[in-house]
Amino acid sequence: MSGLTEDATELLRKLVRFDTVNPPGDERAAQEHLAGVLSAAGFQCELLGAEPGRPNLVARLRPAHSEPADPGPTLCYLGHVDTVLADPREWSHDPWSGDVADGHVWGRGALDMKSQVAAEVAAAAALARSGWRPARGELLIVAVVDEETGGELGAEWITKNHPEKVRCDLLVNEGGGAVFEYGGRRRYGVCCAEKGVFRFTLTTEGVAGHASMPKMGENALLKMAPLLERLGKSQPAYELTAEPEAFLRGLGEDPADPAAALAHMQAADPRLVTVFEPMFGVTFTPTRIRASEKINVIPSRAELKVDCRVPPGLGEEQVRRGIAEVLKEDEKGSRVQFTERVVGNRSPIDTPLMQAIGEWVAEHDPGAEVVPVILPGFTDSRHFREAFPECVAYGFFPHRHQSLFETMPLIHGADERIDVRDLGFAAEFFRDMALRILG
Ligand SMILES: [Zn+2]
């Protein structure tokens, strides 16, 4: 095991042992530990938070000379130290043990995302300890709290309350990097955009009546049946934005014919379709339904909640068109009301950072390529993109041994674990990127 792999592994094990399940989070001890590692290596560290038990860590490494000839960019490695909960009864290793077994570190956060934090901090600390300082620009490590419940005390809080402390030009965060194979080539997704949410409620109306007589009144719940059936059968038409177009070109497919591309992906591995099809347009997923409050009353009103995800660049107009398209004339008997409207966020695809990541991948996994991807969900990157519109933010944490299809079911699931070799692989990436960008 290389020194860097060992450092990242030990640090991850330590981080896993701090229980930071959010809520309540309680991240202070983990943050103090990270601050200790980075301070000892030469970083200037600050803990800043809205609540004493939940500080965010900002660690900065500046050039040795106070006035470098080239001011250079601020490169930020971002991560969150909170996790979702875990039920130990479902796990083969205790979720807070940090056990190393079968070549993996086991525990809640081993993928999402104490692993990336450990790789970022181990790489940055090793560089600083060796005496390296940026020749230009600055290296910033930001470990935030509270991501799993939306970032109100974490990324959102720090970008709003201390923007000058976390302002950056280039940002690497979670959201991409696990390898998958297509057309005989290995690909690494770089997450450069995240979908927005345009959640809505569909309401049907009827006339209440006594449930002992089914033909009494007019049952609003039954009017939902055709709507649900249509939602189960189809989605709005594909509407490809720049990212899925570049993604398809990267796979050697024709972006002008997404249906054909998906048929090829389906034939190669149906999981590719499950994971990547949502990038191609607006999606609807019905998740909650509510009708009568009483078992013996025919409902006069029923409500269906639909989780709708929208690629950046598209908005309410496309969603309304999608509703008309999917629900057809059945929609006329219902009302649509938007409950959340958050547009997606993105960074440009063709940038020197993308170039640098692509070259690193080609060097370390010969024959492999990077492709841009859209995350159907969202991460803390959105707060940084909003606060610093010029910042290029990507999600990238390279896994070479554990594939995308191996990691995905483990995130927020039981037996979350990371291949130790991937931890070292990622730590090397974070070390090399800092050297390459900051000199
Ligand atoms: Zn995460």
Side-chain angles (χ1 to χ4, degrees), residues 80 82 112-113 147-148 174 412:
H80 64 83
D82 62 319
D112 179 15
M113 66 173 289
E147 191 271 347
E148 296 293 356
E174 65 179 334
H412 295 198

Side-chain angles (χ1 to χ4, degrees), residues 188-431:
Y188 291 79
V190 178
C191 180
C192 36
E194 301 176 350
K195 290 180 96 171
V197 289
F198 280 70
R199 296 183 171 126
F200 59 88
T201 305
L202 280 174
T203 308
T204 51
E205 310 270 0
V207 178
H210 201 289
S212 61
M213 291 168 280
K215 287 185 179 154
M216 187 61 75
E218 202 183 307
N219 193 330
L221 182 58
L222 290 174
K223 292 184 181 177
M224 281 293 177
L227 302 181
L228 275 170
E229 193 163 356
R230 287 188 185 281
L231 285 165
K233 275 191 187 137
S234 64
Q235 292 287 345
Y238 300 131
E239 203 151 343
L240 267 62
T241 51
E243 297 84 5
E245 284 186 359
F247 169 79
L248 286 178
R249 273 193 300 274
L251 296 191
E253 294 289 347
D254 178 6
D257 192 354
L262 283 163
H264 299 156
M265 288 158 78
Q266 177 74 27
D269 186 337
R271 294 175 300 180
L272 292 164
V273 176
T274 307
V275 174
F276 294 121
E277 189 184 24
M279 298 194 323
F280 293 15
V282 173
T283 60
F284 297 152
T285 309
T287 51
R288 306 178 73 180
I289 193 160
R290 200 176 79 171
S292 184
E293 299 294 330
K294 290 204 148 257
I295 185 78
N296 61 354
V297 176
I298 290 173
S300 60
R301 185 186 161 91
E303 276 184 0
L304 177 70
K305 297 209 178 278
V306 180
D307 188 356
C308 166
R309 306 285 176 137
V310 182
L314 307 184
E316 189 171 328
E317 187 195 326
Q318 286 81 12
V319 176
R320 289 200 179 270
R321 200 191 305 144
I323 292 172
E325 201 180 289
V326 170
L327 300 182
K328 301 236 164 54
E329 66 279 7
D330 289 337
E331 170 225 7
K332 296 207 169 64
S334 66
R335 272 189 298 115
V336 175
Q337 199 184 8
F338 285 91
T339 51
E340 275 172 82
R341 287 187 183 85
V342 180
V343 291
N345 64 88
R346 62 184 2 162
S347 290
I349 301 171
D350 292 313
T351 66
L353 182 58
M354 182 67 83
Q355 177 83 16
I357 295 173
E359 285 175 20
W360 187 89
V361 162
E363 239 168 72
H364 290 79
D365 187 354
E369 285 181 330
V370 294
V371 284
V373 295
I374 302 185
L375 199 69
F378 47 80
T379 71
D380 278 336
S381 293
R382 74 189 190 281
H383 299 300
F384 280 77
R385 289 186 179 124
E386 195 182 316
F388 315 122
E390 304 303 314
C391 172
V392 173
Y394 291 150
F396 195 69
F397 179 51
H399 293 254
R400 179 182 177 170
H401 299 281
Q402 240 174 337
S403 76
L404 178 66
F405 299 127
E406 286 165 322
T407 57
M408 293 237 335
L410 301 177
I411 292 173
H412 295 198
D415 283 342
E416 184 178 354
R417 60 192 182 276
I418 186 168
D419 190 308
V420 167
R421 294 168 298 176
D422 280 333
L423 208 47
F425 187 59
E428 264 181 63
F429 166 77
F430 290 113
R431 179 195 61 199

Side-chain angles (χ1 to χ4, degrees), residues 28-46:
R28 176 170 276 277
Q31 298 288 56
E32 282 176 350
H33 182 73
L34 291 172
V37 171
L38 287 164
S39 303
F43 274 78
Q44 291 168 277
C45 295
E46 279 182 283

Side-chain angles (χ1 to χ4, degrees), residues 60-76 127 132-140 169-170 352 356 431-439:
R60 190 179 298 276
L61 194 65
R62 290 208 162 96
H65 307 289
S66 51
E67 301 265 328
D70 174 359
T74 297
L75 170 63
C76 176
L127 278 173
W132 175 83
R133 293 294 179 271
R136 53 182 179 273
E138 291 178 343
L139 179 59
L140 198 58
D169 304 289
L170 305 168
R431 179 195 61 199
D432 295 351
M433 256 327 107
L435 289 171
R436 177 180 174 134
I437 292 167
L438 305 175

